[in-house]
Amino acid sequence: MSSVSPFRSPAQKAEERTAKRDAVLRAAVRMFNERGFHATSLDDVAASLGISKRTIYHYLANKDQVLLECVTLGLEQLIEAATAARQEAGDGRYRLIRFLHRYARITMDDFGRCIIRTGEEILSPESRPRFRALKREIDMALRGLIEEAVADGSIAPVDSRMAAFALAGALNWPARWHDPKGSLSPETIAVMLVDILTKGLDPRA
Amino acid sequence: MSSVSPFRSPAQKAEERTAKRDAVLRAAVRMFNERGFHATSLDDVAASLGISKRTIYHYLANKDQVLLECVTLGLEQLIEAATAARQEAGDGRYRLIRFLHRYARITMDDFGRCIIRTGEEILSPESRPRFRALKREIDMALRGLIEEAVADGSIAPVDSRMAAFALAGALNWPARWHDPKGSLSPETIAVMLVDILTKGLDPRA
């Protein structure tokens, strides 16, 4: 017989609550990505977890908040990836490439895909500023990594704003075309895309 | 006094009908791009033209058909651009770059933006195959232009499928970030983006 108390500690309760909330978000994000936000109801999300919609409301206020939490989780992964890349040893190009590889893999993952597949206009006017601020933070981090690599001469001089848009666009797009059941792994795709972007189309002498 | 007959010829009537249908599509595409498809009603579109929703139904069956026609107009522009590029004189790289410049400008235009801002899941299941087929046609045309440029040695050897995805992603993305009221013209942005993609990030000897 287990000697573990049948009464849960506050820490255990909080952990359980987080786990349940996460499960709701993970079920929701998959449906949003597959069917679209408007075609997904919280009833569908609840049904996929064998719970009722009322149970979801224990953890999240409404469908708009569910979506905002989903894109926030994706954006936080990107921000963490940028922070980690900045702390790497090596030259600017190395740190930039490390970030780009992780960036691409995140946008092929559930929460990352949701960022790209969610137009700002889908969120409520109240939720948009947070979405925009987090996206701007990532854009700024990417520009910063580009500028550092230009400064130490490890990449060619380039307009950092436009380069950030070109890189982000190329690496965001798998959120639309990548088939998780396809033959190439996200890791392989990330490396191939970044390789094309670093080498460019023009032949090298 | 004009000697023109007050009775319209069948050709004039057909032309007028096309002009009216086009005006509906142009009003609709702007609202779809700005507010999103779900937040736009055909009543809003009609009101912006000073007509009734019933008048729209003279030209278009329903909101799904309006959207399908909007993305089709954008996709047809891209297909025309590919056809025109293929007929250009010059080497493979020149033809590819010509297409990429036009491609970028189209995705910053109303109907082109709508292609990128419209996830397949927004269209009705009946409309999706046409959307998908046209997008595939453009993907194939882009891969073909890349392969021809690789074959004549005017660009570096590259996996044409992955390169097409990288290029398209980078050039699709302005449909999300470009502000038509911003300081850079679509033409300038197109040239800057394509320049980054052809040169790549790595310094050239």
Side-chain angles (χ1 to χ4, degrees):
Chain A
M1 216 179 120
S2 163
S3 64
V4 173
S5 161
F7 301 101
R8 287 168 302 161
S9 69
Q12 282 171 321
K13 279 187 198 165
E15 200 179 299
E16 208 172 88
R17 189 182 161 80
T18 304
K20 285 176 179 171
R21 195 171 180 276
D22 286 354
V24 170
L25 293 174
R26 192 156 288 278
V29 79
R30 290 188 176 157
M31 286 193 182
F32 292 159
N33 286 340
E34 203 161 308
R35 309 177 185 182
F37 178 71
H38 291 284
T40 302
S41 72
L42 288 187
D43 281 312
D44 299 332
V45 175
S48 79
L49 292 165
I51 60 177
S52 74
K53 186 159 77 172
R54 280 193 60 210
T55 307
I56 291 183
Y57 289 139
H58 267 32
Y59 308 102
L60 296 144
N62 53 45
K63 201 170 76 156
D64 180 64
Q65 203 210 335
V66 173
L67 179 60
L68 181 62
E69 290 302 312
C70 288
V71 294
T72 300
L73 282 173
L75 290 162
E76 283 172 353
Q77 286 178 36
L78 291 176
I79 290 169
E80 275 169 37
T83 307
R86 272 197 298 256
Q87 287 162 355
E88 298 262 4
D91 61 16
R93 178 184 185 280
Y94 179 80
R95 289 193 298 271
L96 173 61
I97 303 282
R98 288 286 284 183
F99 177 56
L100 296 178
H101 282 152
R102 292 201 56 198
Y103 185 111
R105 294 190 57 189
I106 291 166
T107 63
M108 284 180 264
D109 219 10
D110 292 333
F111 292 109
R113 287 179 90 195
C114 188
I115 308 168
I116 313 307
R117 297 172 81 98
T118 300
E120 238 169 70
E121 68 282 355
I122 294 180
L123 282 163
S124 72
E126 297 72 41
S127 297
R128 281 173 214 166
R130 184 164 163 209
F131 187 39
R132 223 175 275 158
L134 288 169
K135 284 203 293 185
R136 183 151 178 87
E137 197 175 330
I138 291 153
D139 186 32
M140 287 298 131
L142 177 52
R143 290 190 206 180
L145 285 163
I146 292 168
E147 282 160 16
E148 284 167 35
V150 168
D152 72 12
S154 56
I155 70 166
V158 78
D159 179 281
S160 66
R161 178 169 169 258
M162 211 48 67
F165 280 139
L167 296 172
L171 303 181
N172 287 338
W173 205 233
R176 280 282 170 203
W177 63 257
H178 172 59
D179 176 4
K181 287 173 240 103
S183 60
L184 295 178
S185 72
E187 199 154 21
T188 302
I189 292 169
V191 170
M192 289 177 85
L193 288 175
V194 173
D195 200 50
I196 289 165
L197 297 164
T198 47
K199 290 188 180 143
L201 295 174
D202 285 345
R204 288 182 177 263
Chain B
M1 211 180 124
S2 162
S3 65
V4 173
S5 161
F7 301 101
R8 287 168 301 162
S9 69
Q12 282 171 321
K13 280 187 198 164
E15 201 178 296
E16 210 172 86
R17 189 182 161 78
T18 304
K20 286 176 178 170
R21 195 173 181 275
D22 285 354
V24 171
L25 294 175
R26 192 158 288 279
V29 79
R30 289 188 177 157
M31 288 195 181
F32 292 160
N33 286 340
E34 204 161 307
R35 310 178 184 182
F37 177 72
H38 291 284
T40 302
S41 72
L42 288 188
D43 281 312
D44 299 333
V45 175
S48 79
L49 293 165
I51 60 176
S52 74
K53 186 159 76 173
R54 279 195 59 212
T55 307
I56 290 184
Y57 290 139
H58 267 33
Y59 308 102
L60 295 144
N62 52 46
K63 201 170 76 156
D64 179 64
Q65 204 210 335
V66 173
L67 179 60
L68 181 63
E69 290 302 312
C70 288
V71 294
T72 299
L73 282 172
L75 290 162
E76 283 171 354
Q77 285 178 37
L78 291 175
I79 290 169
E80 273 168 37
T83 307
R86 272 197 297 255
Q87 286 161 357
E88 298 262 3
D91 61 16
R93 178 184 184 281
Y94 179 80
R95 288 194 299 272
L96 173 61
I97 303 283
R98 290 286 285 183
F99 176 56
L100 296 178
H101 282 153
R102 293 202 55 201
Y103 184 111
R105 294 190 56 190
I106 291 166
T107 64
M108 283 180 265
D109 220 10
D110 292 333
F111 293 109
R113 285 178 92 195
C114 188
I115 308 168
I116 312 307
R117 295 172 83 97
T118 300
E120 238 170 67
E121 68 282 356
I122 294 181
L123 283 162
S124 71
E126 298 71 42
S127 297
R128 281 173 215 165
R130 186 165 161 208
F131 187 39
R132 222 173 277 160
L134 288 169
K135 284 203 293 185
R136 183 151 179 85
E137 197 175 330
I138 290 151
D139 186 34
M140 287 297 130
L142 177 52
R143 290 190 206 179
L145 285 162
I146 293 168
E147 282 160 16
E148 283 167 36
V150 168
D152 73 12
S154 55
I155 69 166
V158 78
D159 179 284
S160 65
R161 177 168 169 259
M162 211 48 66
F165 280 138
L167 296 171
L171 303 181
N172 287 338
W173 205 233
R176 280 281 169 203
W177 63 258
H178 172 59
D179 175 6
K181 288 173 241 106
S183 60
L184 295 178
S185 71
E187 199 154 20
T188 303
I189 292 169
V191 169
M192 288 176 85
L193 288 176
V194 173
D195 200 49
I196 289 165
L197 297 165
T198 46
K199 290 187 181 146
L201 296 175
D202 285 344
R204 288 182 178 263

